[in-house]
Amino acid sequence: QLRLVESGGGLVQSGGSLRLSCEASGSDSDHYHIGWFRQASGKEREGISCTNRYGDTTNYHQDSEKGRFTIARDNAKNMVFLQIHSLKPEDTAVYYCAASYWYCSAYVMDYWGEGTLVNVLS
């Protein structure tokens, strides 16, 4: 079993930056693939990025490829971070981290956190 707890969300002005944190706890938590997802009100959940145990990343969102979303991992602290730059009102969403032992996926992961709300003010 793995437990994931997100933090770092809140109100932020458009153009600002935010770093979200995901703390993983459980056996072999540093072995899991962990990704970030988001779901805006009335929209489907979308994948942002995922990282494996070695820190290799897979990007699912076009803004991850552009560097506006950056995922990072600290296995010593069992933490995965999502840095978001140049926030836009359309980034307003609940942001989730999720984990799977065997793979990264933009859609299906085995464990999910409760999410943290990011609200970007225009």
Side-chain angles (χ1 to χ4, degrees):
Q1 282 285 355
L2 194 71
R3 183 169 181 254
L4 302 168
V5 179
E6 303 93 338
S7 62
L11 285 171
V12 61
Q13 291 288 337
S14 179
S17 298
L18 205 60
R19 188 176 82 157
L20 305 180
S21 300
C22 173
E23 182 174 10
S25 59
S27 179
D28 294 331
S29 59
D30 60 336
H31 287 190
Y32 282 74
H33 298 71
I34 297 179
W36 282 97
F37 302 76
R38 70 180 184 181
Q39 187 166 21
S41 180
K43 295 187 177 180
E44 292 188 356
R45 186 175 62 210
E46 58 179 348
I48 299 173
S49 293
C50 186
T51 176
N52 65 14
R53 67 179 72 176
Y54 307 112
D56 302 321
T57 60
T58 303
N59 292 325
Y60 303 122
H61 195 282
Q62 61 180 4
D63 283 348
S64 298
E65 292 292 337
K66 295 176 183 178
R68 201 167 69 83
F69 298 140
T70 305
I71 192 170
R73 183 174 192 138
D74 185 339
N75 281 338
K77 297 180 180 179
N78 293 324
M79 301 285 289
V80 176
F81 305 99
L82 183 70
Q83 182 73 47
I84 312 174
H85 298 289
S86 303
L87 279 154
K88 307 172 185 179
E90 50 264 43
D91 293 321
T92 294
V94 178
Y95 285 72
Y96 300 90
C97 65
S100 175
Y101 193 86
W102 298 109
Y103 53 78
C104 275
S105 169
Y107 304 102
V108 178
M109 300 289 269
D110 297 323
Y111 301 97
W112 290 83
E114 295 292 320
T116 185
L117 175 63
V118 173
N119 194 342
V120 183
L121 304 175
S122 58

